[in-house]
PDB file of all heavy atoms in Angstrom:
ATOM      1  N   ILE A 197      -3.054   6.861  -6.559  1.00  0.00           N
ATOM      2  CA  ILE A 197      -3.305   8.338  -6.759  1.00  0.00           C
ATOM      3  C   ILE A 197      -4.120   8.519  -8.045  1.00  0.00           C
ATOM      4  O   ILE A 197      -4.065   7.728  -8.986  1.00  0.00           O
ATOM      5  CB  ILE A 197      -2.033   9.177  -6.801  1.00  0.00           C
ATOM      6  CG1 ILE A 197      -1.057   8.573  -7.827  1.00  0.00           C
ATOM      7  CG2 ILE A 197      -1.346   9.173  -5.453  1.00  0.00           C
ATOM      8  CD1 ILE A 197       0.162   9.475  -8.134  1.00  0.00           C
ATOM      9  N   GLN A 198      -4.904   9.643  -8.049  1.00  0.00           N
ATOM     10  CA  GLN A 198      -5.701   9.919  -9.203  1.00  0.00           C
ATOM     11  C   GLN A 198      -5.517  11.348  -9.629  1.00  0.00           C
ATOM     12  O   GLN A 198      -5.175  12.213  -8.851  1.00  0.00           O
ATOM     13  CB  GLN A 198      -7.235   9.807  -8.820  1.00  0.00           C
ATOM     14  CG  GLN A 198      -8.167   9.969  -9.987  1.00  0.00           C
ATOM     15  CD  GLN A 198      -9.657   9.905  -9.565  1.00  0.00           C
ATOM     16  OE1 GLN A 198     -10.014   9.294  -8.534  1.00  0.00           O
ATOM     17  NE2 GLN A 198     -10.543  10.669 -10.232  1.00  0.00           N
ATOM     18  N   THR A 199      -5.591  11.573 -10.979  1.00  0.00           N
ATOM     19  CA  THR A 199      -5.427  12.919 -11.506  1.00  0.00           C
ATOM     20  C   THR A 199      -6.535  13.887 -10.990  1.00  0.00           C
ATOM     21  O   THR A 199      -7.612  13.345 -10.687  1.00  0.00           O
ATOM     22  CB  THR A 199      -5.432  12.919 -13.031  1.00  0.00           C
ATOM     23  OG1 THR A 199      -5.333  14.270 -13.452  1.00  0.00           O
ATOM     24  CG2 THR A 199      -6.668  12.262 -13.621  1.00  0.00           C
ATOM     25  N   GLN A 200      -6.249  15.197 -10.887  1.00  0.00           N
ATOM     26  CA  GLN A 200      -7.245  16.091 -10.420  1.00  0.00           C
ATOM     27  C   GLN A 200      -7.995  16.715 -11.569  1.00  0.00           C
ATOM     28  O   GLN A 200      -8.930  17.469 -11.386  1.00  0.00           O
ATOM     29  CB  GLN A 200      -6.663  17.116  -9.536  1.00  0.00           C
ATOM     30  CG  GLN A 200      -6.466  16.598  -8.083  1.00  0.00           C
ATOM     31  CD  GLN A 200      -5.973  17.578  -7.061  1.00  0.00           C
ATOM     32  OE1 GLN A 200      -5.403  18.577  -7.456  1.00  0.00           O
ATOM     33  NE2 GLN A 200      -6.169  17.281  -5.804  1.00  0.00           N
ATOM     34  N   GLU A 201      -7.560  16.364 -12.795  1.00  0.00           N
ATOM     35  CA  GLU A 201      -8.337  16.760 -13.950  1.00  0.00           C
ATOM     36  C   GLU A 201      -9.671  16.048 -13.858  1.00  0.00           C
ATOM     37  O   GLU A 201      -9.719  14.854 -13.548  1.00  0.00           O
ATOM     38  CB  GLU A 201      -7.600  16.287 -15.255  1.00  0.00           C
ATOM     39  CG  GLU A 201      -6.307  16.919 -15.530  1.00  0.00           C
ATOM     40  CD  GLU A 201      -6.435  18.450 -15.819  1.00  0.00           C
ATOM     41  OE1 GLU A 201      -7.384  18.835 -16.648  1.00  0.00           O
ATOM     42  OE2 GLU A 201      -5.726  19.259 -15.177  1.00  0.00           O
ATOM     43  N   ALA A 202     -10.736  16.729 -14.202  1.00  0.00           N
ATOM     44  CA  ALA A 202     -12.110  16.139 -14.205  1.00  0.00           C
ATOM     45  C   ALA A 202     -12.107  15.058 -15.335  1.00  0.00           C
ATOM     46  O   ALA A 202     -11.666  15.272 -16.442  1.00  0.00           O
ATOM     47  CB  ALA A 202     -13.147  17.172 -14.479  1.00  0.00           C
ATOM     48  N   LEU A 203     -12.604  13.866 -14.961  1.00  0.00           N
ATOM     49  CA  LEU A 203     -12.733  12.838 -15.958  1.00  0.00           C
ATOM     50  C   LEU A 203     -14.092  12.895 -16.618  1.00  0.00           C
ATOM     51  O   LEU A 203     -15.040  13.435 -15.974  1.00  0.00           O
ATOM     52  CB  LEU A 203     -12.507  11.399 -15.260  1.00  0.00           C
ATOM     53  CG  LEU A 203     -11.204  11.200 -14.527  1.00  0.00           C
ATOM     54  CD1 LEU A 203     -11.177   9.833 -13.851  1.00  0.00           C
ATOM     55  CD2 LEU A 203     -10.046  11.288 -15.461  1.00  0.00           C
ATOM     56  N   THR A 204     -14.239  12.275 -17.746  1.00  0.00           N
ATOM     57  CA  THR A 204     -15.534  12.169 -18.350  1.00  0.00           C
ATOM     58  C   THR A 204     -16.430  11.299 -17.436  1.00  0.00           C
ATOM     59  O   THR A 204     -15.837  10.487 -16.638  1.00  0.00           O
ATOM     60  CB  THR A 204     -15.522  11.554 -19.728  1.00  0.00           C
ATOM     61  OG1 THR A 204     -15.041  10.139 -19.580  1.00  0.00           O
ATOM     62  CG2 THR A 204     -14.694  12.304 -20.719  1.00  0.00           C
ATOM     63  N   ASP A 205     -17.717  11.441 -17.522  1.00  0.00           N
ATOM     64  CA  ASP A 205     -18.629  10.650 -16.599  1.00  0.00           C
ATOM     65  C   ASP A 205     -18.312   9.165 -16.783  1.00  0.00           C
ATOM     66  O   ASP A 205     -18.292   8.421 -15.786  1.00  0.00           O
ATOM     67  CB  ASP A 205     -20.089  10.911 -16.952  1.00  0.00           C
ATOM     68  CG  ASP A 205     -20.446  12.314 -16.503  1.00  0.00           C
ATOM     69  OD1 ASP A 205     -19.701  12.978 -15.762  1.00  0.00           O
ATOM     70  OD2 ASP A 205     -21.588  12.745 -16.853  1.00  0.00           O
ATOM     71  N   GLU A 206     -18.116   8.720 -17.957  1.00  0.00           N
ATOM     72  CA  GLU A 206     -17.874   7.250 -18.258  1.00  0.00           C
ATOM     73  C   GLU A 206     -16.592   6.878 -17.560  1.00  0.00           C
ATOM     74  O   GLU A 206     -16.562   5.819 -16.905  1.00  0.00           O
ATOM     75  CB  GLU A 206     -17.744   6.956 -19.737  1.00  0.00           C
ATOM     76  CG  GLU A 206     -18.933   7.132 -20.571  1.00  0.00           C
ATOM     77  CD  GLU A 206     -19.238   8.510 -20.984  1.00  0.00           C
ATOM     78  OE1 GLU A 206     -18.244   9.275 -21.244  1.00  0.00           O
ATOM     79  OE2 GLU A 206     -20.412   8.924 -21.074  1.00  0.00           O
ATOM     80  N   LYS A 207     -15.545   7.678 -17.791  1.00  0.00           N
ATOM     81  CA  LYS A 207     -14.266   7.313 -17.098  1.00  0.00           C
ATOM     82  C   LYS A 207     -14.375   7.298 -15.557  1.00  0.00           C
ATOM     83  O   LYS A 207     -13.858   6.431 -14.933  1.00  0.00           O
ATOM     84  CB  LYS A 207     -13.192   8.289 -17.554  1.00  0.00           C
ATOM     85  CG  LYS A 207     -12.494   7.888 -18.775  1.00  0.00           C
ATOM     86  CD  LYS A 207     -11.296   8.838 -18.980  1.00  0.00           C
ATOM     87  CE  LYS A 207     -10.239   8.279 -19.963  1.00  0.00           C
ATOM     88  NZ  LYS A 207      -9.015   9.102 -19.951  1.00  0.00           N
ATOM     89  N   GLN A 208     -15.036   8.325 -15.076  1.00  0.00           N
ATOM     90  CA  GLN A 208     -15.162   8.393 -13.592  1.00  0.00           C
ATOM     91  C   GLN A 208     -15.906   7.211 -13.085  1.00  0.00           C
ATOM     92  O   GLN A 208     -15.606   6.666 -11.991  1.00  0.00           O
ATOM     93  CB  GLN A 208     -15.835   9.751 -13.232  1.00  0.00           C
ATOM     94  CG  GLN A 208     -15.838  10.004 -11.691  1.00  0.00           C
ATOM     95  CD  GLN A 208     -14.393  10.029 -11.111  1.00  0.00           C
ATOM     96  OE1 GLN A 208     -13.565  10.843 -11.620  1.00  0.00           O
ATOM     97  NE2 GLN A 208     -14.058   9.279 -10.054  1.00  0.00           N
TER      98      GLN A 208
END
Side-chain angles (χ1 to χ4, degrees):
I197 53 171
Q198 185 184 332
T199 175
Q200 280 184 339
E201 294 295 312
L203 302 177
T204 61
D205 289 351
E206 292 82 34
K207 270 190 163 187
Q208 189 60 52

